[in-house]
Amino acid sequence: MFASDLDRTLIYSAAALGLTVPDAAAPRLLCVEVYESKPLSYLTETAAELLATLAARTVFVPTTTRTREQYGRIHLPGPTPRYAVCANGGHLLVDGESDPDWHARVRERLTECAPLDEVRAHMLRTASGAEESGWVLKERVAEDLFAYLVVDRARLPDTYVKELGDWAAPRGWTVSLQGRKIYAVPRPLTKSAAIAALLVS
């Protein structure tokens, strides 16, 4: 079995690619995601060939923080993976359907942490006025499991992520800044836990 994260590991948005080479030397790209009728995410052709070869030889399991809907927009080369981990481990997909037993186990473990509503309310309260100052662009809840803010990195206050993390830690939540997103995720909600469950199933 081979499990891999997707965004900024296998696939990249145009911005995340960060191409610094001359245009003529840029790698050939394969579009693997379209959103609102526009190409959004890409895989290099070299990576596409290697992934197709890998998927033919072993069980390839995409793992992602994306929701099931967001994952459904991705079309990787090779056979459609039988298994996938979505929502940071909240959903273990088997032939495109969420495994209800795994999801129930996840929900049970999340009762050890502060409720999502409490964490989300704190995020919104501490970011109050941020939309006017321009550093919070969007606020979202993913699969009723965790919350995140889409931010303007250039305007993000230097201390915000650390202060949010310090508040969240005693409540059983982790905070991370990944690209333009600040995630608040319950500590038991991990992609690795879902993969471990898949390995012993």
Side-chain angles (χ1 to χ4, degrees):
M1 179 183 291
F2 177 82
S4 174
D5 209 344
L6 294 177
D7 293 278
R8 294 175 175 264
T9 299
L10 283 180
I11 67 175
Y12 296 83
S13 66
L17 278 166
L19 295 176
T20 56
V21 298
D23 291 347
R28 286 167 56 97
L29 300 172
L30 173 67
C31 178
V32 293
E33 180 185 15
V34 173
Y35 180 58
E36 294 182 344
S37 302
K38 297 176 182 177
L40 183 62
S41 298
Y42 303 87
L43 190 67
T44 66
E45 285 197 350
T46 300
E49 292 170 4
L50 292 172
L51 184 59
T53 299
L54 176 74
R57 295 180 178 178
T58 189
V59 176
F60 169 57
V61 184
T63 70
T64 181
T65 303
R66 288 172 173 247
T67 64
R68 288 170 291 172
E69 179 182 358
Q70 292 167 335
Y71 170 70
R73 298 195 303 252
I74 298 173
H75 300 284
L76 297 170
T80 300
R82 183 179 183 200
Y83 303 104
V85 174
C86 294
N88 213 64
H91 289 281
L92 175 57
L93 303 188
V94 182
D95 295 326
E97 299 295 328
S98 181
D99 182 313
D101 292 336
W102 171 250
H103 189 63
R105 287 165 59 188
V106 168
R107 287 290 185 187
E108 178 62 27
R109 292 195 65 194
L110 296 191
T111 61
E112 305 166 6
C113 308
L116 170 62
D117 287 347
E118 177 185 340
V119 175
R120 182 188 181 200
H122 181 82
M123 290 178 72
L124 294 176
R125 184 168 59 252
T126 54
S128 178
E131 292 184 3
E132 291 79 1
S133 62
W135 65 268
V136 171
L137 307 178
K138 298 176 186 175
E139 180 269 336
R140 294 286 185 269
V141 170
E143 300 266 19
D144 199 30
L145 292 167
F146 61 91
Y148 63 93
L149 302 174
V150 182
V151 302
D152 181 335
R153 286 287 295 265
R155 298 183 180 185
L156 174 66
D158 293 339
T159 60
Y160 181 78
V161 175
K162 182 181 185 307
E163 290 171 354
L164 180 61
D166 289 345
W167 177 89
R171 292 164 175 83
W173 287 66
T174 63
V175 171
S176 63
L177 175 61
Q178 300 177 35
R180 299 187 308 132
K181 295 178 180 178
I182 300 173
Y183 289 96
V185 179
R187 192 173 290 115
L189 186 67
T190 65
K191 290 172 278 192
S192 59
I195 290 296
L198 185 57
L199 284 171
V200 299
S201 63

